[in-house]
Amino acid sequence: MNILENLQHIILTHIQQTYNITIETCKKIDITINTDDKKADFGDITTNAALIIAQEIGTNPRTVAQALAASLSHPHIQKIDIAGPGFINIFLTIQAFKVLTQELYHQDKDFFKPTIIKPLTYSLEFVSANPTGPLHIGHGRGGIIGDVLAQVLRFLGHNVITEYYINDAGNQIGKLGLSLKIRCLQQNGSNEQLPEDAYQGEYLIRLAEQCIAEYGNQVIEQPQTFFEEYAQKHLLQNITETLRSYGIEFDIWFSEKTLHTSGAIQKELEYLASRGYTYKKDDALWFTAMQFGDDKDRVVQKNTGELTYIAADIAYLQNKLQRPADHLIMILGQDHHSYVARLKAIMQALGHNPDTLDVILYQLVTVKETGELVRLSKRAGKIVSLNDIIETVGKDVARFFYLNRKADAHLDFDITLALEHSEKNPVYYIQYAYVRAGSILEKASEHAEFAFGPEDIAYIGAPEVALLKKIAALKDVLENIGRTYQTHVLSYYLLELAHHFHHYYSSNRVITHEDPGLTKSRLLIVSIAQRTFKHVLELLGLTTPESM
């Protein structure tokens, strides 16, 4: 527990003991560290405790606030003000921030980790696009949400297994093989046209050219299964390469086909039948999903004998939970919103707690260029795939721009801004802060060898306070992500940290030869800031350039 957390705990304990409030009332009380330098007049710690307690006991909030302010004292509390209807604003001493500086420097990244944690095992599935074409622009959003969430959960001390579910069974694979075979026939001069429901993408023309170059024109004599396997193999390789260039590697690539060939699906359907959770109707086999909260029962086997996607989902969820995992997380596009109740129903029918499954839904992505929406057509030069995005703006910008908005909000990917090499571009602005910090430290080392010691906190003063509080706030940000999975707040935090650092640099001369004590104190702050930038950039999967 660092000094700020300790003070928050002391304040809450004092409030609880003074008014003998319940744990439920305590949960309503906010004791917040103020990291907004524009609100310095509201103190370093603000609490709504008086308003909550006054409502509970039926009295005036300012009366409660005055009583708490008069009775609360601590060596690190400089003064207490009451604002508005009864908000309590607490101002800390400079000594408190000197202690905070020491903690940040000596603990480094451990400062931001939970003091006590029960490690969990998470099965985290994301992207999982069908291997029937390149990853499109929307997949970039699910990819970065999943990858950053995995990094944060691991940082917090959990075990995370990342997983890509390959939909390599079902009608779409047959359709893919037929589409490629027709493209190969066309390369051989045939006039045969693709059916309307075939895969029309130009990527299959390029794949057909590659296939013929590899096997010759006689490849058209191969059965359709050859083209199915060839297309799957190469398209999955394309997906893997795109994800790797995006900075994403998966622990497990799980094949849906193995659920069919191993008999796992049939085994789970028999299990559900033994518990009375399936029934026959119109010669089809149905799962009693409504019994578990779904809006309707679901077909698991058609009257033709063909298994549905839901049948595979049943076996897949069972497989995940038997590995085992304490918690399942799936990241899906918004068009899967009705899928959540179905998955929860399956979990219950299999005898598992549906609360151990969380589904994160993300909204659509559109691309803008010079303020105008880009039509996602096949016209030359227009961006239509995730790989196009990465090649156009680079991995760092792509990852940050995809993450820099709440998952359930629509995202406009601004290509014009992404290509800016100025402070208008948030990635440039952030990385420049990191480079600037490194440049200051390098410049200082040219004049003298130095190492930081306990005496270097002596000149920590008011100019450093806002930056120190923002740095320390990273711990709360990470723990909040661990609870809510809202990864976008990490990009917000990093942008705000860059703003605080640039403001600190522009307002304060760091290297002052006539005052070596002040210089060492400020270099210590710069060093802590640089390390914090590095930690967050690494969690986001962004590079840490040495120069710009």
Side-chain angles (χ1 to χ4, degrees), residues 247-282:
I248 296 177
E249 298 275 359
F250 284 93
D251 298 315
I252 295 175
W253 292 78
F254 191 97
S255 165
E256 178 192 348
K257 192 175 182 178
T258 61
L259 296 172
H260 293 262
T261 57
S262 66
I265 295 177
Q266 198 58 42
K267 177 183 175 183
E268 298 309 326
L269 292 182
E270 289 172 0
Y271 172 75
L272 293 181
S274 71
R275 303 192 69 182
Y277 298 150
T278 61
Y279 62 91
K280 285 280 189 139
K281 179 184 174 183
D282 300 328

Side-chain angles (χ1 to χ4, degrees), residues 147 149-162 251:
D147 192 54
L149 180 56
Q151 295 305 323
V152 170
L153 289 173
R154 285 169 179 153
F155 182 87
L156 293 174
H158 300 294
N159 179 40
V160 183
I161 308 299
T162 57
D251 298 315

Side-chain angles (χ1 to χ4, degrees), residues 307-426:
L307 294 169
T308 65
Y309 285 119
I310 301 169
D313 289 337
I314 293 168
Y316 181 46
L317 279 171
Q318 186 74 292
N319 181 284
K320 278 175 176 281
L321 288 158
Q322 287 176 341
R323 285 183 223 169
D326 299 302
H327 216 90
L328 308 184
I329 304 174
M330 294 184 183
I331 300 174
L332 305 170
Q334 187 62 36
D335 56 335
H336 288 78
H337 65 91
S338 63
Y339 202 58
V340 180
R342 192 180 318 168
L343 293 173
K344 297 271 189 180
I346 293 170
M347 293 274 288
Q348 291 181 73
L350 291 173
H352 301 291
N353 180 0
D355 293 337
T356 60
L357 169 67
D358 283 316
V359 179
I360 301 171
L361 299 172
Y362 61 89
Q363 282 284 1
L364 297 174
V365 179
T366 52
V367 177
K368 280 189 174 181
E369 192 171 6
T370 61
E372 300 292 329
L373 285 176
V374 174
R375 288 186 175 274
L376 301 182
S377 68
K378 300 172 188 173
R379 291 182 297 164
K382 293 302 180 184
I383 297 168
V384 296
S385 72
L386 175 58
N387 198 57
D388 291 328
I389 290 278
I390 297 167
E391 289 183 351
T392 301
V393 304
K395 181 200 77 171
D396 285 356
V397 173
R399 287 178 68 98
F400 190 89
F401 273 50
Y402 269 116
L403 193 68
N404 196 28
R405 194 157 176 79
K406 195 174 180 181
D408 60 7
H410 183 89
L411 174 67
D412 286 331
F413 196 108
D414 190 336
I415 293 294
T416 305
L417 179 61
L419 291 172
E420 279 270 1
H421 289 279
S422 72
E423 293 185 359
K424 293 179 181 178
N425 185 329

Side-chain angles (χ1 to χ4, degrees), residues 363-531:
Q363 282 284 1
L364 297 174
V365 179
T366 52
V367 177
K368 280 189 174 181
E369 192 171 6
T370 61
E372 300 292 329
L373 285 176
V374 174
R375 288 186 175 274
L376 301 182
S377 68
K378 300 172 188 173
R379 291 182 297 164
K382 293 302 180 184
I383 297 168
V384 296
S385 72
L386 175 58
N387 198 57
D388 291 328
I389 290 278
I390 297 167
E391 289 183 351
T392 301
V393 304
K395 181 200 77 171
D396 285 356
V397 173
R399 287 178 68 98
F400 190 89
F401 273 50
Y402 269 116
L403 193 68
N404 196 28
R405 194 157 176 79
K406 195 174 180 181
D408 60 7
H410 183 89
L411 174 67
D412 286 331
F413 196 108
D414 190 336
I415 293 294
T416 305
L417 179 61
L419 291 172
E420 279 270 1
H421 289 279
S422 72
E423 293 185 359
K424 293 179 181 178
N425 185 329
V427 179
Y428 182 95
Y429 184 73
I430 289 164
Q431 290 180 325
Y432 183 55
Y434 171 76
V435 170
R436 170 175 269 176
S439 177
I440 294 168
L441 295 169
E442 184 178 358
K443 182 179 179 181
S445 67
E446 290 174 358
H447 297 281
E449 291 289 332
F450 66 88
F452 297 116
E455 70 280 359
D456 294 322
I457 64 170
Y459 289 85
I460 300 298
E464 286 73 42
V465 168
L467 182 56
L468 284 166
K469 286 191 292 185
K470 176 53 71 172
I471 291 171
L474 175 60
K475 183 173 184 180
D476 282 341
V477 170
L478 295 175
E479 290 182 347
N480 180 56
I481 294 171
R483 291 189 299 269
T484 67
Y485 310 149
Q486 297 285 346
T487 50
H488 69 284
V489 298
L490 190 57
S491 63
Y492 290 4
Y493 168 84
L494 188 56
L495 192 56
E496 290 169 3
L497 179 62
H499 169 75
H500 276 71
F501 181 78
H502 286 307
H503 177 74
Y504 176 75
Y505 176 81
S506 63
S507 304
N508 302 280
R509 188 176 176 186
V510 176
I511 301 175
T512 309
H513 297 297
E514 58 271 19
D515 195 339
L518 179 62
T519 296
K520 283 291 293 292
S521 288
R522 289 184 170 171
L523 286 173
L524 175 58
I525 296 297
V526 171
S527 175
I528 292 169
Q530 188 205 31
R531 294 193 311 193

